Amino acid sequence: CGGSVSDPSGMLQSPNYPGSYPNDADCMWEIQVQNNFRVTLTFRDIAMQGGTCQHDYIEVYDGPLHSSPLLGRFCSGSFPTYVSSSNMMSVRFHSDSRYSFRGFQAHYSSIPAGHNTTILCLPDYMHVVVSRDYLQSQGYSAQRVTLNDNRCRPTVTSQEVVFNIPYNGCGTTQEENNDTINYSNTIRVASSGYIIKRKKNINLHVSCRMLRNTWQQVMYAAEDTVDVNEYQFGRYDMNITFYDSPAFQRQVRSSPYFIDLNQNLYLQACLHSSDPSLKVAVDTCVASPDPRDFNTLAYYLVRNGCPRDSSYATFRSPSSHFARFKFNAFEFMSRHPSVYLKCRMRVCRLGDFSSHCYQGCSSRAKRDTSSAEENVDVVVGPLQLREGAAPSGSTG
């Protein structure tokens, strides 16, 4: 139960609904709609163990589960509606080992945020758009909008002032604390009054905060009557590519990738980010014949950094943005016409030797990971056995 949801609207319900939900369930849904939209969640049916909501309950969070405010916790009563302050909301359903009931059903939809300023955290820069109509309605000129580093100029169109602010330039600062890695900058809007200032200058603080599973984007105004408070969530840009040898010089571009049983397969994960102080490591890779289901028939190559297949091995990489590894085309291949891989990559701070990128094998539970690191899931494939392929010696 649970999972990531990205459709503009849809339905959430407890396992087996409208039948009785199982005991000891712990389901978490992450709803992420498009940027500069908000999530509206309305519950249509709730039938659970009542009382103090200590045994069975639903929790709704205003963003990612481990780092966002709790909007509500309930198990009975009226059917509430919640609206997120961002394009992301998390819902958790928990049941204990005692009684079981019908559970819940809820409907979610996305609505425009309706702000005059938007922010989008892309792999290499912050994309910030300020409406010229909005500036003019407040008495400000688009020509007086600058960054901290005024050498980095915006693009001014007939309708917008657009900044593409790099994470490693234009005065962007980096700060690390226990929960996040922050990239911050300030957009300044100067008052047009020279002798007597009738309006205050605007300091528009923009930042991208790297959280456990997301980039959180924050915008707020300082020393001004204009209240801009924008939150958005995005994800890292990561891809995984097959190579034909351990030299990692020629990519395999064919899809599906036809292989022989017992053939060695070489993969490289690449993080596309302008921040040089990030490191990538392989956390978990699992194989399945179904690219939508990596639970029913699953073969783990590596799990929580611990190799599960004896042929799995990692290679030294030329950059901290790359992770290279290999494994052998396993017996799993002989039983299914196509096989897909789902790999969970971990992104940490370079040189943070306390992070899981450096610690390697760990028996931790997935949700116990540090919130200063990010997990990125990538699915690759399919792999298919070459026609007539039979078990043979290992080839490279």
Side-chain angles (χ1 to χ4, degrees):
C1 59
S4 296
V5 181
S6 57
D7 293 331
S9 62
M11 196 80 68
L12 303 184
Q13 56 191 30
S14 51
N16 302 330
Y17 181 89
S20 297
Y21 52 77
N23 291 327
D24 299 314
D26 199 25
C27 312
M28 198 270 284
W29 292 266
E30 276 191 349
I31 307 169
Q32 183 176 347
V33 297
Q34 70 186 78
N35 282 285
N36 302 306
F37 276 67
R38 304 194 188 285
V39 182
T40 298
L41 180 71
T42 300
F43 285 83
R44 297 177 169 179
D45 185 22
I46 303 171
M48 301 168 62
Q49 182 177 356
T52 59
C53 299
Q54 295 298 310
H55 305 289
D56 299 354
Y57 54 83
I58 303 165
E59 292 176 332
V60 180
Y61 290 85
D62 192 14
L65 179 69
H66 297 282
S67 55
S68 303
L70 177 67
L71 294 177
R73 175 173 172 156
F74 54 93
C75 56
S76 60
S78 59
F79 300 159
T81 294
Y82 296 98
V83 180
S84 66
S85 62
S86 71
N87 66 327
M88 192 171 187
M89 178 185 284
S90 296
V91 180
R92 182 188 180 200
F93 167 73
H94 175 82
S95 66
D96 66 5
S97 58
R98 301 180 67 188
Y99 306 110
S100 185
F101 297 84
R102 186 171 68 247
F104 78 91
Q105 185 181 71
H107 178 266
Y108 79 89
S109 59
S110 52
I111 57 174
H115 280 294
N116 297 297
T117 305
T118 60
I119 178 171
L120 177 63
C121 286
L122 297 171
D124 293 326
Y125 57 88
M126 292 180 265
H127 180 74
V128 183
V129 178
V130 184
S131 163
R132 286 192 68 172
D133 287 344
Y134 169 68
L135 289 172
Q136 290 165 3
S137 71
Q138 300 298 314
Y140 293 96
S141 167
Q143 308 304 321
R144 300 181 64 81
V145 181
T146 63
L147 274 183
N148 251 346
D149 183 345
N150 57 20
R151 293 171 297 180
C152 298
R153 308 295 301 174
T155 299
V156 180
T157 71
S158 60
Q159 296 181 317
E160 299 169 335
V161 179
V162 181
F163 284 94
N164 290 326
I165 308 170
Y167 296 132
N168 61 340
C170 290
T172 300
T173 60
Q174 299 181 22
E175 180 187 10
E176 184 172 1
N177 58 36
N178 290 336
D179 298 316
T180 59
I181 301 168
N182 301 341
Y183 300 92
S184 302
N185 211 313
T186 302
I187 297 173
R188 302 189 184 282
V189 185
S191 169
S192 57
Y194 294 101
I195 308 301
I196 300 175
K197 287 194 173 184
R198 299 185 182 278
K199 289 180 176 291
K200 295 180 179 180
N201 295 336
I202 300 176
N203 289 330
L204 194 63
H205 300 281
V206 293
S207 65
C208 290
R209 297 180 180 177
M210 191 179 80
L211 298 172
R212 174 174 170 269
N213 287 313
T214 63
W215 282 83
Q216 179 187 6
Q217 302 165 63
V218 182
M219 178 181 293
Y220 63 95
E223 298 182 303
D224 184 62
T225 57
V226 183
D227 181 20
V228 181
N229 195 337
E230 189 72 33
Y231 296 83
Q232 297 297 321
F233 294 89
R235 300 199 183 274
Y236 269 125
D237 185 9
M238 179 93 69
N239 74 309
I240 294 179
T241 308
F242 286 102
Y243 282 77
D244 66 356
S245 79
F248 290 94
Q249 292 179 343
R250 290 191 302 273
Q251 292 185 14
V252 175
R253 301 188 181 277
S254 60
S255 181
Y257 180 18
F258 290 97
I259 61 173
D260 296 312
L261 207 60
N262 288 339
Q263 177 180 333
N264 279 331
L265 306 178
Y266 303 92
L267 298 92
Q268 175 176 274
C270 177
L271 169 68
H272 300 281
S273 172
S274 63
D275 184 356
S277 59
L278 297 178
K279 178 177 174 60
V280 176
V282 183
D283 181 81
T284 299
C285 275
V286 58
S288 168
D290 185 346
R292 297 168 300 277
D293 180 2
F294 286 87
N295 296 308
T296 306
L297 290 171
Y299 181 92
Y300 281 90
L301 297 165
V302 56
R303 190 171 192 177
N304 294 336
C306 304
R308 293 294 186 90
D309 183 282
S310 60
S311 70
Y312 174 85
T314 58
F315 294 86
R316 183 183 296 273
S317 299
S319 162
S320 63
H321 283 196
F322 296 105
R324 291 175 169 179
F325 55 102
K326 69 106 175 174
F327 60 90
N328 195 273
F330 32 85
E331 282 293 331
F332 196 81
M333 286 295 307
S334 64
R335 302 197 298 273
H336 303 282
S338 297
V339 170
Y340 294 81
L341 293 179
K342 181 177 182 179
C343 293
R344 168 157 290 182
M345 308 304 298
R346 188 171 294 283
V347 181
C348 313
R349 294 300 272 177
L350 185 64
D352 179 6
F353 295 101
S354 65
S355 72
H356 295 303
C357 289
Y358 289 91
Q359 292 177 353
C361 181
S362 170
S363 60
R364 70 191 182 280
K366 184 174 68 174
R367 64 171 54 89
D368 292 336
T369 54
S370 165
S371 57
E373 303 168 13
E374 177 172 345
N375 296 328
V376 183
D377 289 344
V378 184
V379 176
V380 292
L383 298 168
Q384 290 187 2
L385 277 182
R386 203 185 313 276
E387 188 138 355
S392 61
S394 176
T395 63

